[in-house]
Amino acid sequence: MKIFSLLLIVGVGVSPLFAGEDWPQFRGPDGQGRSDSENVPVRWSETENVKWKTTIPGQGWSSPVLLGKQIWLTTALENGKSLRAVWVDRETGKILQNVEVFAMEAPDFKHELNSYASPTPVIEPGRVFVHFGTYGTACLSTGDGKILWKNQELKLQHENGPGSSPILLRDKLIIPCDGMDVRYLIALNKLTGKTIWKTERSGVINKAPPFRKAYSTPLVIHVNGREQIVSAAADYVFGYEPDSGKEIWRAHYEGYSNVPRPVYGGGLLFICTGFDKPQLWAIRPDGTGDVTSSHVVWKYLKQVPLKPSPLFVDGRLYFVSDNGIATCLEGQSGKEIWQERLSGEHSASPVYVGGKIYFFSQEGTSVVLEPGPIFKPIATNQLGTGFMASPAISGNAFYLRSKTHLYRTEK
């Protein structure tokens, strides 16, 4: 029996109804880019191992999410004036619904590497939740695409466009709001969109507004039988109680515009500290209060990613810098095992599936590695217009969103 069907995935924000066939949130069932699928392809091209290829209208860097026969993703048309949710049939690739969720008269500026539809949806039986940052959050019915509720109260100044994805934890849709003006974590009632709790970020930031923002996605973990929401923000990473939003602990670093999602393994949290000089920190999450001087186990400073999230596999940490340098570290010590160059620029987060690690570049190249103490690439593939979105995996297939299309690749 597959490992994800054995887990009560409530602890990572997903209903226990989910099994290995589904990919319900950013970075998959456990939120850390790992799948228990076993027979996915190692090689593909525009003419090999592609079951279907569908043009996705508009622009969006959100990852696809899957439940049963449904795929959902978001996109933006008319330079952000029309923010939409798209339902794709998993078997055929046909677009079944293309729903305008929000219409905007004059969207704010965004960075050229971002989109107006970058946050990844989260899906559960009967409902899909889409988030467009300051422009709004909504819940749609997966039965007919009908909008069940909208919330446009979470206003913030992104500066470079929206980025943080929501997570689902039982009755709560949890959203980080880290702008140049406001900094808080909020839990909405998933059935109504109304606020359950809202926690202002603690810790003083004596910096100009552009250095106060962040774009990371929270992760739910278990520590000594206690559930925590871990959320990285500008200058601080926090642990919170899910039911109340109360802060448990925080650690202070120097960094902003954080994008990578936290990773948890071997009793340690791995946090990327963001711009301008990114570091990777390993933190024990069993403290209270300010744990900066007591619970930071190690720091690593070379070729740390600004956008792609790390990957933890069998006691080792793997990651790729934005300029394509891949690194493997010992998880417990932070000792460098190897560091090698891949091709291209990278925004998508790597995945581990079928005993292999897959990296995806902005130029459309994917590099497949054997995990382990030796750098061992086994395949290099090329598709289309390049990847900004992170991949999804379900069954024996990858669902790869390029800048223009959605692919289903399988043997």
Side-chain angles (χ1 to χ4, degrees):
M1 186 178 295
K2 293 187 175 183
I3 59 172
F4 289 131
S5 61
L6 289 171
L7 292 173
L8 290 179
I9 309 178
V10 173
V12 294
V14 183
S15 162
L17 295 174
F18 293 111
E21 291 294 303
D22 301 307
W23 194 266
Q25 62 170 326
F26 177 57
R27 304 207 76 200
D30 72 347
Q32 302 196 74
R34 301 179 297 207
S35 171
D36 58 2
S37 296
E38 298 174 352
N39 198 31
V40 294
V42 171
R43 302 183 185 277
W44 58 72
S45 68
E46 291 285 347
T47 58
E48 178 188 9
N49 287 337
V50 174
K51 181 172 182 178
W52 50 253
K53 172 185 176 182
T54 298
T55 300
I56 303 299
Q59 184 190 61
W61 304 158
S62 63
S63 299
V65 293
L66 292 93
L67 176 62
K69 296 182 179 180
Q70 296 192 359
I71 305 171
W72 286 84
L73 41 79
T74 57
T75 192
L77 276 62
E78 303 173 32
N79 293 318
K81 292 183 178 180
S82 179
L83 304 177
R84 311 182 75 90
V86 180
W87 170 6
V88 179
D89 181 82
R90 173 177 165 174
E91 293 302 318
T92 66
K94 181 180 178 180
I95 294 177
L96 301 181
Q97 294 275 356
N98 186 342
V99 182
E100 183 175 75
V101 183
F102 297 107
M104 311 301 300
E105 290 186 4
D108 297 334
F109 168 84
K110 70 165 183 64
H111 195 280
E112 62 181 359
L113 287 178
N114 200 8
S115 77
Y116 288 104
S118 290
T120 295
V122 59
I123 191 170
E124 68 172 6
R127 288 176 288 269
V128 61
F129 304 87
V130 295
H131 179 61
F132 299 93
T134 191
Y135 306 113
T137 308
C139 175
L140 286 75
S141 167
T142 57
D144 55 12
K146 179 181 177 181
I147 297 173
L148 302 178
W149 57 256
K150 295 183 181 181
N151 183 323
Q152 291 185 282
E153 299 173 359
L154 311 184
K155 298 297 184 182
L156 65 155
Q157 296 178 5
H158 294 296
E159 186 188 34
N160 292 322
S164 301
S165 299
I167 65 171
L168 192 62
L169 183 61
R170 294 184 291 277
D171 63 332
K172 301 175 184 68
L173 186 71
I174 297 165
I175 304 169
C177 297
D178 292 291
M180 296 192 296
D181 52 345
V182 296
R183 301 169 54 248
Y184 61 88
L185 189 71
I186 193 166
L188 304 181
N189 185 306
K190 73 176 184 181
L191 299 180
T192 66
K194 303 298 182 183
T195 299
I196 297 176
W197 53 254
K198 176 182 176 181
T199 302
E200 301 289 340
R201 302 287 199 189
S202 70
V204 176
I205 299 181
N206 293 315
K207 296 178 179 177
F211 307 104
R212 299 164 61 89
K213 63 187 186 298
Y215 307 97
S216 185
T217 298
L219 182 73
V220 179
I221 66 173
H222 282 90
V223 181
N224 297 329
R226 186 183 186 187
E227 212 170 41
Q228 292 185 17
I229 301 169
V230 178
S231 182
D235 277 8
Y236 296 89
V237 58
F238 302 89
Y240 297 103
E241 292 181 353
D243 290 336
S244 66
K246 180 182 178 182
E247 180 185 309
I248 303 170
W249 60 267
R250 71 176 183 268
H252 174 63
Y253 44 71
E254 293 291 332
Y256 65 98
S257 289
N258 318 68
V259 176
R261 192 172 190 180
V263 168
Y264 185 51
L268 295 176
L269 275 169
F270 304 103
I271 306 295
C272 297
T273 62
F275 288 75
D276 284 309
K277 298 179 180 179
Q279 301 182 13
L280 187 82
W281 284 25
I283 302 171
R284 287 188 290 107
D286 57 355
T288 57
D290 188 335
V291 302
T292 310
S293 61
S294 59
H295 284 65
V296 177
V297 178
W298 54 258
K299 304 174 185 178
Y300 183 81
L301 281 64
K302 293 170 52 182
Q303 300 295 337
V304 174
L306 294 166
K307 296 192 294 295
S309 305
L311 189 67
F312 185 83
V313 177
D314 294 334
R316 300 186 181 98
L317 200 65
Y318 300 85
F319 53 90
V320 62
S321 64
D322 295 43
N323 63 348
I325 305 298
T327 303
C328 174
L329 305 180
E330 288 182 357
Q332 291 298 311
S333 68
K335 179 183 177 182
E336 182 180 309
I337 300 174
W338 53 254
Q339 190 168 78
E340 301 286 345
R341 178 173 291 279
L342 307 179
S343 63
E345 298 289 318
H346 288 252
S347 289
S349 297
V351 293
Y352 172 73
V353 55
K356 310 290 190 298
I357 295 173
Y358 294 72
F359 295 92
F360 298 84
S361 80
Q362 293 174 196
E363 294 75 25
T365 302
S366 57
V367 177
V368 187
L369 304 181
E370 291 275 4
I374 299 173
F375 178 71
K376 188 178 180 182
I378 58 173
T380 299
N381 307 308
Q382 183 70 38
L383 279 181
T385 54
F387 302 105
M388 302 298 290
S390 298
I393 304 158
S394 181
N396 295 323
F398 280 97
Y399 296 83
L400 305 176
R401 183 180 192 173
S402 74
K403 297 174 185 177
T404 54
H405 292 80
L406 181 66
Y407 295 80
R408 174 171 171 169
T409 67
E410 62 185 318
K411 294 179 181 178

